[in-house]
Amino acid sequence: MPLNAAQVRHLRSLAHHIKPVVLLGQHGLTESVMAEIELALEHHELIKVRVPGMDREDKQDVIEVICERTGAELVQAIGHMAVLFRKRAKDSQISLPR
């Protein structure tokens, strides 16, 4: 489900005050990190992921892989931080504007 501009603005405002939930370490994107991202998305719906120590293209590739494998939407990527959103199937806590 692609996000429109109003939804992205709303999610960015919600994400402004949250801390990164998942930090990629020196081994990069491992299966355990992917499992942690899955759990965080299921629990929080809107998360920040810190992707340090890579150049811009590598970071973008890692973020794209995370989005593809989790089904999450990229809300924003600034510096070493990526904000991801995946709406829960039921009991969603975040309501998106139209």
Side-chain angles (χ1 to χ4, degrees), residues 6-70:
Q7 293 169 336
V8 169
R9 273 193 311 273
H10 177 69
L11 291 172
R12 282 178 29 196
S13 70
L14 292 176
H16 181 73
H17 297 291
I18 63 175
K19 302 260 189 244
V21 177
V22 180
L23 305 170
L24 268 66
Q26 65 183 357
H27 299 294
L29 190 61
T30 62
E31 288 303 315
S32 60
V33 171
M34 283 303 298
E36 216 34 59
I37 292 171
E38 282 286 342
L39 285 173
L41 281 168
E42 186 59 37
H43 187 261
H44 299 288
E45 293 182 282
L46 182 68
I47 64 169
K48 282 186 181 176
V49 177
R50 186 166 168 84
V51 186
M54 299 179 188
D55 65 1
R56 185 175 297 181
E57 293 155 0
D58 290 341
K59 274 189 276 191
Q60 189 61 36
D61 291 341
V62 167
I63 293 168
E64 286 176 10
V65 167
I66 291 171
C67 290
E68 287 174 11
R69 289 178 61 187
T70 62

Side-chain angles (χ1 to χ4, degrees), residues 76-97:
Q76 181 179 31
I78 294 181
H80 297 291
M81 209 64 68
V83 178
L84 304 176
F85 174 73
R86 185 178 71 190
K87 189 172 185 85
R88 277 190 223 134
K90 59 181 183 176
D91 299 331
S92 178
Q93 299 295 318
I94 298 175
S95 59
L96 295 175

